[in-house]
Amino acid sequence: MDLTPPRPAGRPPRPLGTCLWNFAPSRESRGGSAWWLQDASGGVLVDVPAWTEANLAFLRQQPDGLILLTHRGNHGRCRHFQEALGWAVWVQEQEAYLLPGVRRLHTFGEAAALSSTLKLLWTPGHSPGSAVLHWSGARNLLFCGRTLLPRSDGSAAPLRTVLTFHWGRQLASIAALRHWPAAGEPDNIACGAGLGALRGAHLVSNGAAVLQALDLQMLASVAPGPAFASVSS
């Protein structure tokens, strides 16, 4: 008996310049946004898009890649995509238990390198196993999951909600990003949700300056908001 859920038609991801695509928000991950990057060393699906015919067809057209999960909320139908594509899945070790039955599952601790241009860092706070990916290949780009979310002024900031795992650790993780992988990086930030705030821009520009401008001391006193609150300017 085939227990694979049916796939609606959907629409393919949107190309965003050199070697980068953005998928439509997925209801399966509370409006989470997934990304596809094509690096010289191979392709990476950052988080899991909606389980649709268009998304699966697009990914099947790509060279062999891998799936990277930035936090527990954007797993979506990871197992179904993994089975359909046969790709390896990477996740921070704190959240591997959430993926029973997923084949070719790889975990990492504090940091890992997928290649010379693709580096992972554990950034706990939003969830226990939140992580970011820095891509220094065709783009200088930080994929941050929900560690940072877009603001309507074009910047990005952390959002504390009642579902936040540990606010203090999240702010400490952001402080670490100001010097990882190096001061002055990244050029841009790709967030894992809330892209509507950017009014079609998709990426947060001047990523290093955005990180430096955050007042982490002030943010430490912010009270939790609703679980699905949006970020304003």
Side-chain angles (χ1 to χ4, degrees):
M1 181 178 179
D2 184 5
L3 299 179
T4 305
R7 296 187 296 270
R11 58 182 174 84
R14 181 191 301 269
L16 299 175
T18 306
C19 302
L20 182 67
W21 288 258
N22 172 244
F23 294 82
S26 171
R27 292 182 179 178
E28 294 154 2
S29 55
R30 297 191 290 108
S33 295
W35 303 83
W36 171 257
L37 68 88
Q38 188 61 55
D39 187 58
S41 60
V44 180
L45 178 63
V46 183
D47 291 322
V48 178
W51 178 245
T52 67
E53 292 287 353
N55 287 343
L56 186 57
F58 170 83
L59 293 170
R60 279 175 167 161
Q61 293 168 3
Q62 309 309 315
D64 283 348
L66 60 88
I67 301 170
L68 168 68
L69 303 173
T70 63
H71 64 94
R72 63 189 178 191
N74 271 17
H75 290 188
R77 297 193 183 275
C78 178
R79 182 172 61 83
H80 298 300
F81 275 103
Q82 196 282 327
E83 291 175 350
L85 300 167
W87 295 351
V89 177
W90 280 76
V91 65
Q92 207 280 330
E93 61 188 9
Q94 297 280 337
E95 296 180 1
Y97 77 96
L98 296 170
L99 298 165
V102 171
R103 302 170 185 172
R104 300 186 63 191
L105 185 65
H106 299 268
T107 63
F108 67 98
E110 292 191 4
L114 301 175
S115 72
S116 62
T117 56
L118 293 164
K119 294 181 170 60
L120 298 169
L121 183 70
W122 179 34
T123 52
H126 169 74
S127 73
S130 288
V132 300
L133 170 70
H134 181 251
W135 179 31
S136 60
R139 313 280 281 267
N140 190 320
L141 188 56
L142 180 74
F143 296 88
C144 70
R146 300 198 198 206
T147 295
L148 295 167
L149 292 175
R151 295 165 58 102
S152 58
D153 63 359
S155 66
L159 179 66
R160 186 180 189 184
T161 77
V162 294
L163 298 180
T164 299
F165 164 65
H166 195 293
W167 186 237
R169 291 186 185 180
Q170 185 168 346
L171 297 183
S173 293
I174 293 168
L177 291 177
R178 291 172 168 172
H179 306 284
W180 182 90
E185 295 185 296
D187 291 342
N188 298 287
I189 297 173
C191 299
L195 302 188
L198 297 175
R199 300 181 177 90
H202 291 88
L203 296 175
V204 175
S205 59
N206 303 311
V210 166
L211 288 169
Q212 291 294 335
L214 291 170
D215 187 341
L216 300 182
Q217 184 174 359
M218 181 276 291
L219 287 167
S221 62
V222 170
F228 306 110
S230 59
V231 181
S232 61
S233 59

